[in-house]
Amino acid sequence: MTRKAYMIGTGIGNLAAGIYLIRDGGFNGDQITMMGLETHGANDGAPVKDYEDEYSNQALTNNKGFLAKGGRMLNEETYENLWDLLRSVPSLDHPGQTVTDDILNFDHAHPTHDVGRLMDDDGPRNKPNKDNYRHMQFTNKERYLLSKLMLTPEKDEETLNNISIAEWFVSTPHFFTTNFWYMWQTTFAFKRSSSAMELRRYMNRMILEFTRINTLEGVTRTPYNQYESIIIPMRKYLEDRGVTFINNRKVTDLEFKDTPLQDDIIVTGMKYEEVDNDNKEGHIDIAENDLVFDTNGSITDSSSIGDYDTPVKENMEYAPSAMLWKKAAEKFYSLGNPDKFFNDRTQSEWMSFTVTTNNHYLVNEIARITQQEPGNALNTWIHSTPLMSLVVHHQPHFKAQKPNESVFWGYFMYPRRNGDYVQKPVIEMTGKEMLEEFLGQLAAVDPSKDNIANHKQEIMDSIVNVIPTHMPYASALFNQRAVGDRPDVVPEHSKNLAFISQFCEQPFDMVFTEQYSFRAAQRAVYTLLNIPLSEMTPMHHYEKDPKVMARATKTMFR
């Protein structure tokens, strides 16, 4: 009987697993079935109208413009699995090249150099005679605590069980007013309530970025949004090799073999619903030598969107992908604790807004005020109450963008807080009100005599749409956790089930990265097919490089 592989979820992790199965595991495409509720996972980006079916629970008055719920920061030095695997995926835009070529060639031609990383009351915090944000602003005690955290051995990670960053630095509240914290938290989406364990991993894995966090020179950008630059080529690779994609299918439960003492984990079947066919139920028999790869949690699950005149209608649904994990964890003791990540939105929620304009006036004004051209990473308004950040991409960001259109996005880390210019919680704002809040923040740091506030009507007339997006689990992967709360990629005693997501456990690497999903995919495939793990893609350990660490130490005192 031909061995089969079933992928639950069609995000980047399972797409990577499918390619590993074909490239390294000897599978044919027709042995692989991909099942999901949509086509993009967390790496999304499309015209607004393409999201209508996904958010059919809320009627929108405006389906024009574009939407990207967020952006994923890539890194050339530390995303080893991603670059290696995407070298096997042909470019759709440049025949004879690969997706890795596409991205790195674009990035090298448009290198990131952020000169307006932090914005305070009178513009970029990098002006002469100002508290230049290249300075980290640590006290000696903060240097000690951050070093102690970073140097905690991996074998002792459990000493950080359920400890938040706020608890780790409780004796030095000044830490949360430093340039370092403003930059680090908004670059990677940490909160004070986030896990100190995850901050430790980031400080080790991204130690190269510590020395250049003020310019974000290590950020690698894709030519277009990540759906068009990465997801579509990966899907095309798999489709060309005969992989079956079933969209709008929701797997609702896994069935397991009844084994002595319930030790062995063997999937024997799965139940599903066809969500575009009156929720018609179905069943798939799984043979013992078949493989099941589950996306056990997604940071964009239960999202909700609005439009220019419509606020979001908060989706209170427990993350669907995590619900399947939760059901499995109730049957086996070794499958972690999904409630740690999906039962406390206060730790994980934030809101983004995507702006589409019919001319380039606003983007040009943003460039003037922030002192940087589109494509140069991230600006954070450090005194904004809901903590607002902005990303203006290299244009165009979508292949379907018209030459006269601009698209950019921003996000608020604390959507329950009131705006400073619109006196209501961010989560209750329409797209228009979010734009007004943003324009208020922008005008507040505009040094020009002809302040941008004098051109508000001109800007409003240029707006095609503003899409607010609430993501209750956007930072759930950073929630406080203990060792064991995340299941191993291939749990102990599992014979045919693997987890691939930001919520599985593997050593050293850091979540909230495509690298983590790619590496989990490789680990899952290699483990279940008995390919030696020693043959996995080598990873860099810059935290063991004396020169890198010397520069990091110097940065601490900068």
Side-chain angles (χ1 to χ4, degrees), residues 84 185 256 295 392 421 457 475:
D84 173 67
Q185 75 165 146
F256 297 92
T295 304
V392 181
Y421 300 91
Q457 191 57 51
S475 299

Side-chain angles (χ1 to χ4, degrees), residues 414-442:
Y414 299 99
R416 306 286 171 176
R417 295 180 182 175
N418 276 11
D420 297 303
Y421 300 91
V422 178
Q423 291 301 311
K424 63 168 60 175
V426 171
I427 194 171
E428 296 177 10
M429 293 183 190
T430 64
K432 179 183 179 181
E433 290 169 330
M434 280 196 178
L435 179 66
E436 290 174 339
E437 175 68 22
F438 163 68
L439 291 177
Q441 299 289 352
L442 191 63

Side-chain angles (χ1 to χ4, degrees), residues 101 127 247 308 366 389 481 504:
D101 295 329
K127 295 179 180 179
N247 298 321
Y308 190 73
I366 293 170
S389 295
R481 67 175 180 87
C504 60

Side-chain angles (χ1 to χ4, degrees), residues 3-7 21 27 31-33 290-293:
R3 196 175 201 183
K4 297 179 181 179
Y6 296 91
M7 312 303 203
L21 283 171
F27 268 56
Q31 295 173 255
I32 303 171
T33 300
D290 289 342
L291 307 178
V292 177
F293 299 87

Side-chain angles (χ1 to χ4, degrees), residues 14-26:
N14 273 345
L15 296 180
I19 298 173
Y20 278 120
L21 283 171
I22 293 170
R23 192 192 75 171
D24 301 344

